[in-house]
Amino acid sequence: MEAVLEQRKDNKTSGKAGVREAPERTCSLRMVRNIGIIAHIDAGKTTTTERMLYYAGRVYKMGEVHDGTTVMDYMIQEKERGITITSAATTCFWRDHQVNIIDTPGHVDFTVEVERSLRVLDGAIGIFCGVGGVQPQSETVWHQAESYGVPRIAFVNKMDRMGADFDRVVAEMRKRLGSNAVPVQIPWGSEDNFKGVIDLIDMRVVCFDDESLGMKLKYLPIPSEFAIAAEKARAELIEKIAEIDEQVLKVYMDNPDVPADVLKAGIRRKVVSNEMIPVFCGSSLRNKGVQPLLDAVVDYMPSPLDVPMIKGHHPSTGAEASREADDFGSTSALAFKIVNDAYVGRLVFVRVYSGRLKKGQNVYNPRTRKRERIGRLLQLHAENRTDVETLYSGEIGAIAGLKQTTTGDTLCVENAPIELERIHFPEPVMFMAIEPKTRADKDKLKEAMDALAAEDPTCVIRTDPETGQTIMSGMGELHLEILRDRMHREFKVDANAGKPMVAYYETLTRAGRGEYVFDRDIGGHRQFAQLAVEVTPAKRGAGNTIEIKLSRNVVPEEFWKYIEEGLNDGIMTGVLGRCPVTDVVVRVTEGKFVPEISTEVAFRTAAVMAFHEAVMSGVPEFLEPIMELEIITPGEYMGDVIGDLNGRRGKVREMEARGTNQIIRAGVPLAELFGYSTAIRSVTRGRASYTMEPEQFEIVPEAIKQELLNR
C-alpha cells in the first residue's frame, strides 16, 4: 500500500504527452474516468449511482433501494436487506466521457470490497449524509482512499432531510478527516425547503424539474436572500484555491473575481494532486444535484493519464519496474476481484494499466509462473455482461476462462514480466463451525466454501486439527450469515452451522527461540531433521513474516518449502488454545541434514515443533478484536449508556453534543457486543442508534485468558 501511495506522490502532473492510443478505442484515454462511490452505510451510494446511470441514459428507469429494484444491488441478499454487499461495476457516458463506476458497500463487514476497489480506481466520490455527517465507516473508507492516494470529491446527500446541516458536515470533514474540504456549491434552502443548489463557480442557482424526475435543469439568478451567503462562500472558495495554486493566485492578484474557467482548471489541478476536496450537495432520492456531480466527475476527476505510472517489480530479479497507460506498451493488469457467475462461470475482474487484453490471448501470471488463456472478455454493467474483443489500457472489465488466477494477481506478458503490489486484507474477527447435513452434501459443501473463499479473501476456511470441524471465518455476524445464505441459494448446499464466535488470535510479548530434533523410525525407515527457530514480535497489525536463514550447504533448498509449510501449520494451529498466531517474525536460523535419512515429513514436523517451543519461550498471549463503537443517544440516557459500556469492558474515548443528542465513541471488545442492538434499545427506550467497526486487536485480560485456556 505504501508503494501505491508513494508512486501517486511522485507524479502530480496533469497528463502525459506522447502516450499511444489504439485507433479502435471508442473513447480517448484522456476522456476516461475510473471512479468509486464510497460512504457509510445508508448515506445514499447506490441511490446516487442509480441516478447517475439514469441521467446518462444507461438505464431507462430509476431503481430504488427500498423497493429492491436497483441495477447495482443485484444479489437477492442485497434486495432483501436493502444494503450493498458486493461492489458492482458499470460503465456510462457523460459529455462524451466514459465513466467507469464501482459502487461499493458501506457496511463494515464488507470493507474488503472497498479496499480492493480503491486499489484500482483513479478517483472516488465520498458521499456524506446531510444529517449524520462524518460517520464511523465514512472515516474508514476515507482513510482507505487516502492510503492509496486516490483523489476525491465529496457530495453531501439528503439535504432535504430534517436536521440536515451542510456547514456542519463540511466542518466535520475538515476536523475529523483532516481534509481540505471546500464547498463549490451551497444548498438553496434546506430540509423541507430544499429546492436546489447554488453554483459558486458560475454564480447561479441550479434547480431540478420534478415532472421530468430531475432530468431537466433550470438556471436562475441567485435569490436576494442568498446573495450575501453565496458571495461570501465564493470569496472563500477563491481564496482557498489561490492559497495552494500559483496560477489561480496570479489571476487573483490582478482580479479578485477570478473567471470560472480559471477556477475550474485550478480545482482540477488540486484535486488530482490530492490537495483539495471540492464539496457538492443535493438529495439523490429527490433527484436533485446529481447532474452537477456527474459534471464534476468529468471536470475534476483524473483520467488514467493524470495519475502516476503504476509501479511493481520484476518477479525474478526484484528490480523496480513501471508501466504507463499506453495501448501499445507491455500488457499489465491487476486482478482485483473473483466472481462465480451462474451462467458465465468464474469471472476475474481486472484493471488494465498498460497494453491491451485480447480475446484468445495468453497472459502470464508471475505468482504461479504459468500462462493462461483468455476465454472471453466482458464489459460490466452490474450483473449484466457484454462481450468485447479487447480491453484497453485504463479500462476495467472481466475475464472468463482463467482457472488459477486469484485476487491480487498480476497478468502480464512473459517476455516483459511485472508483478504489481498485492492487495492487503484485514484479519477475520469472527468464525463459526459448519458441517454438511448429509454425507452427500460433503463434497458440495467443500466446493461451495472453496468458491466463496476464492471470491472473498476475508472468508477464511480451515479445519480444526483437534476436532476435525470445518471453521469458516469472516468479518462479522452479517458477513457469516450472508456466506451461509449464499451456500444454500447459489450452491444448493444444506449445512448445519454453529453460533458465531469471536476469532481470537495468539501473539508474542517478547522474543523466543526453540530447537527440535526429529529422529524416529516410521514404517521401518529412520527419518531425521533438526531445526532451530527464532520468533520476535512484530508491530500490531503487521501480520506474519517467515524468513529461512539457512545455507544451502546445511539444508538443501528443495526441503525449504516443507519447512515453510510446517511453520505455516504451526502459525494456523497456535500454541495456547488452537488460535492462529499473528504479528510475529519467524526465522529459521540453524538446521541439520543427513543424507539418506532426512525427509520432507521430518523437516515439516521439526519446523512445527521448533516453532511451538520458540513461541512458548516468547510468553504468548491471546488477542481479541476491539470494535470502535459510535452511539447517538438522547442526552437523558447518556449515563445509562456509559454504565452499560463500562459493564462490557468498554473504554469511552470521546463525547460530543449534536443538538439534543449526545455522540459517544468508545472501544469495546467484540466478545461483549453480542446482542448489543437489543440491549441499547432497552436502555434508551429504542431512541438510540449505533454503528461499529473493527479497530484493532488487544491482549485479553487475565480472567478472559484463563477462560480461553479452559474451554
Side-chain angles (χ1 to χ4, degrees), residues 429-449:
V429 298
M430 199 168 280
F431 71 90
M432 67 182 179
I434 192 160
E435 61 184 23
K437 283 189 176 180
T438 65
R439 189 178 294 274
D441 285 324
K442 184 176 181 181
D443 291 339
K444 287 169 64 179
L445 177 64
K446 185 179 186 308
E447 287 177 15
M449 289 196 295

Side-chain angles (χ1 to χ4, degrees), residues 10-226:
D10 286 346
N11 184 352
K12 294 189 177 180
T13 61
S14 57
K16 304 180 185 74
V19 170
R20 299 168 297 175
E21 296 186 11
E24 323 75 89
R25 286 187 74 108
T26 56
C27 193
S28 168
L29 263 170
R30 201 172 296 282
M31 300 177 76
V32 172
R33 303 287 184 269
N34 293 311
I35 65 162
I37 312 293
I38 60 173
H40 185 87
I41 189 170
D42 201 33
K45 295 179 302 301
T46 302
T47 302
T48 303
T49 308
E50 292 290 320
R51 268 59 180 173
M52 286 180 163
L53 297 178
Y54 178 72
Y55 296 134
R58 191 69 172 86
V59 297
Y60 71 92
K61 182 182 178 183
M62 290 183 193
E64 302 293 355
V65 173
H66 51 270
D67 293 333
T69 56
T70 60
V71 173
M72 303 303 279
D73 285 351
Y74 58 86
M75 290 173 63
I76 185 68
Q77 293 87 354
E78 294 177 317
K79 294 180 184 293
E80 288 176 349
R81 291 167 173 81
I83 62 170
T84 302
I85 292 170
T86 183
S87 54
T90 188
T91 299
C92 64
F93 288 84
W94 185 256
R95 286 170 39 192
D96 298 326
H97 286 66
Q98 179 180 332
V99 183
N100 302 318
I101 304 172
I102 296 183
D103 177 30
T104 65
H107 196 286
V108 62
D109 283 15
F110 310 106
T111 188
V112 62
E113 293 287 333
V114 185
E115 186 82 27
R116 59 183 169 190
S117 298
L118 288 170
R119 173 66 177 82
V120 298
L121 291 171
D122 299 327
I125 300 173
I127 298 185
F128 298 86
C129 174
V131 180
V134 178
Q135 297 165 286
Q137 189 67 3
S138 308
E139 291 189 65
T140 300
V141 297
W142 193 265
H143 294 317
Q144 282 175 313
E146 217 161 50
S147 67
Y148 285 117
V150 176
R152 281 143 286 160
I153 59 178
F155 181 68
V156 181
N157 192 23
K158 303 188 180 183
M159 288 307 303
D160 60 314
R161 288 263 307 272
M162 185 177 293
D165 188 335
F166 180 76
D167 292 336
R168 175 176 56 78
V169 178
V170 173
E172 285 186 8
M173 289 178 63
R174 292 170 178 167
K175 179 183 176 183
R176 295 183 60 181
L177 303 179
S179 67
N180 183 22
V182 184
V184 294
Q185 292 176 347
I186 59 173
W188 179 21
S190 63
E191 300 183 345
D192 291 342
N193 295 318
F194 179 67
K195 301 173 185 176
V197 300
I198 298 173
D199 180 355
L200 300 178
I201 294 176
D202 292 312
M203 287 303 278
R204 60 186 179 180
V205 161
V206 185
C207 55
F208 305 85
D209 178 54
D210 290 333
E211 289 187 11
S212 63
L213 299 177
M215 183 70 80
K216 296 178 182 177
L217 306 185
K218 293 179 183 177
Y219 301 101
L220 305 171
I222 298 173
S224 57
E225 64 269 28
F226 289 94

